[in-house]
Amino acid sequence: MTLPDSTRASADTETLTALEEVYAQVKRVQRDLRPTDRIIQDLEIDSLATLEILLALEERFGVALVDNPKAATITTVGDLVGLLDELRADATTT
């Protein structure tokens, strides 16, 4: 399913805001995230923090990230936001 541009933009913004909130809780630092931020290099997220963030996002959005093979290919914030929006859209159509 393809979302209209306006709907996609609002979903992206909502997802990015949620990710910023989860990042702040896990890393205990407030930061504006950009889609081009690399998760490991730029945000300095280690494997434990990555797991904490993914689990928190799973709970928040009711999607499966940890067991999703696409999650292994995520390198940037934009990749993660895109995957979350894709999973959320799939969940609303089923």
Side-chain angles (χ1 to χ4, degrees), residues 11-79:
D12 287 351
T13 302
E14 177 187 349
T15 305
L16 185 59
T17 300
L19 180 54
E20 287 174 341
E21 291 170 5
V22 170
Y23 176 82
Q25 290 172 347
V26 171
K27 292 294 284 183
R28 301 190 191 286
V29 71
Q30 195 72 26
R31 177 180 174 165
D32 290 333
L33 302 179
R34 297 179 312 246
T36 57
D37 286 334
R38 296 170 299 169
I39 293 172
I40 295 172
Q41 297 89 342
D42 298 330
L43 303 182
E44 300 177 354
I45 298 177
D46 62 18
S47 58
L48 180 58
T50 298
L51 183 59
E52 288 181 69
I53 289 169
L54 293 178
L55 290 171
L57 291 169
E58 281 186 343
E59 184 175 321
R60 185 168 188 154
F61 292 116
V63 297
L65 283 170
V66 175
D67 295 333
N68 190 313
K70 290 182 182 179
T73 65
I74 292 172
T75 58
T76 67
V77 168
D79 294 341

